[in-house]
Amino acid sequence: MLDNKRILLIVAGGIAAVKAPDLIRRLRERGAKVRCILTRAGAQFTTPMALGALSGDAVYQELFSLKDESEMGHIRLSREADLIVVAPATADIMTKMATGIADDLATTTLLAADKPILIAPSMNVMMWTHPATQANLATLKAREVRVIGPGAGDLACGEVGDGRIAEVSEIVAAISRYFQGEVDQGPLARYRALVTSGPTHEPIDGVRYIANRSSGKQGHAIAAALSALGADVVLVSGPTQLPDPDGVKVVHIETAAQMLKACKEALPRDIAVCAAAVGDWHVAGAGKKKLKRDRGPPALQLASNPDILATLAKAGGGRPGLVVGFAAETEDVITNGKAKRDAKGCDWIIANDVSAGSGTFGGDNNTVHLITREGVEDWPTLKKSAVAERLAERIAAYVSRHL
Ligand code: C5P
């Protein structure tokens, strides 16, 4: 996908610099050639050795280094790249870029650059929201510097809010999008989607839990398919064996209560697809200590979990414009699917047969029926990835008309 694309990665001085090795690895896996500049502050968080070993190239650090300049001057560093990526981009380097300060190798190269630049900002929430940083951001955007992230979440400094560097997979996706060209952004480029996937784990005590056999394959495939059509996707996933899909922001949770919280935090969204097999109950009063076997079998008191799909579908003003749920049935698939659509208040139901012989749970194929207000469509048996692609196409067609 990034075959032979030359990326000059500038690693500035923030805690997110520790993610640079992973970013280099993923870019190289996709065929890119990566060369690094590491700032003096960046070298406090990651090492030239790590970047050099993963990039397979020299790591450039000093402006006034006879060795670096004779081998590769700051002008050539930019000339020999197709794209310059600054990750992490600190408040400091953004300020220098915006004002044209060139006082080290990184900033001199950026000022001398004749190549497009993508930055992945990362900093404390107050620094990010400060009018100075926001003004610099506006200046850089006006100069067509591309920006990926930052996202919201726990920050290394202990505070919570915007400023967290985009996930490595999101940075890779932004780089890939750049090389694919803006024109190819996809029909969902303007839309934000939320997908739930996988099982939940409901603790019994500190070591045991109640789970189910959901693999997460269908939900993850839907997140990937929506992202492939250009949507900005948050995937809230219970514990699965699956890798995080590229370009998708994944929030990992364990319990239904955590899933609901993460979904609410992801709002507002245009599209919600609830494919998770959410546990119906949790153990009331589950503690952190392991229950002792010699005390005999415990009488577990179960309590109901929140219905995430129904909550999203009834969310009033914050309701996503299209809410899609699944109905996993073992009999009367369509009748029960229709009833579920009404009961949950969602727009579409994907009804599927999960009876023992169907092989749906954990398998690669799925036979589904799409139930909308207009009627029922029977889809042939398809791979879960193909069900996901077909659903994403249907969603794209719907939102282009209704949202
Ligand atoms: O009620 P039932 O579990 O059959 O409904 C299945 C649909 O509702 C799926 O889309 C599932 O993701 C969603 N659901 C949910 N929260 C629950 C139970 C189910 O989002 N607590």
Side-chain angles (χ1 to χ4, degrees), residues 274-276 278 306-309 325-326 340 344:
C274 292
V278 184
D307 191 317
I308 295 156
L309 173 61
F326 275 74
K340 192 145 294 176
K344 305 263 187 181

Side-chain angles (χ1 to χ4, degrees), residues 139-173:
T139 304
L140 294 174
K141 281 187 174 169
R143 286 189 208 134
E144 297 192 352
V145 169
R146 289 155 189 262
V147 184
I148 175 77
D154 294 338
L155 301 172
C157 54
E159 294 185 14
V160 177
D162 279 349
R164 203 183 152 87
I165 194 167
E167 299 296 332
V168 169
S169 59
E170 292 176 301
I171 301 174
V172 172

Side-chain angles (χ1 to χ4, degrees), residues 330-350:
T330 50
E331 57 199 79
D332 298 331
V333 175
I334 290 172
T335 316
N336 290 334
K338 282 182 177 164
K340 192 145 294 176
R341 184 180 161 275
D342 291 341
K344 305 263 187 181
C346 59
D347 302 294
W348 297 355
I349 280 279
I350 314 280

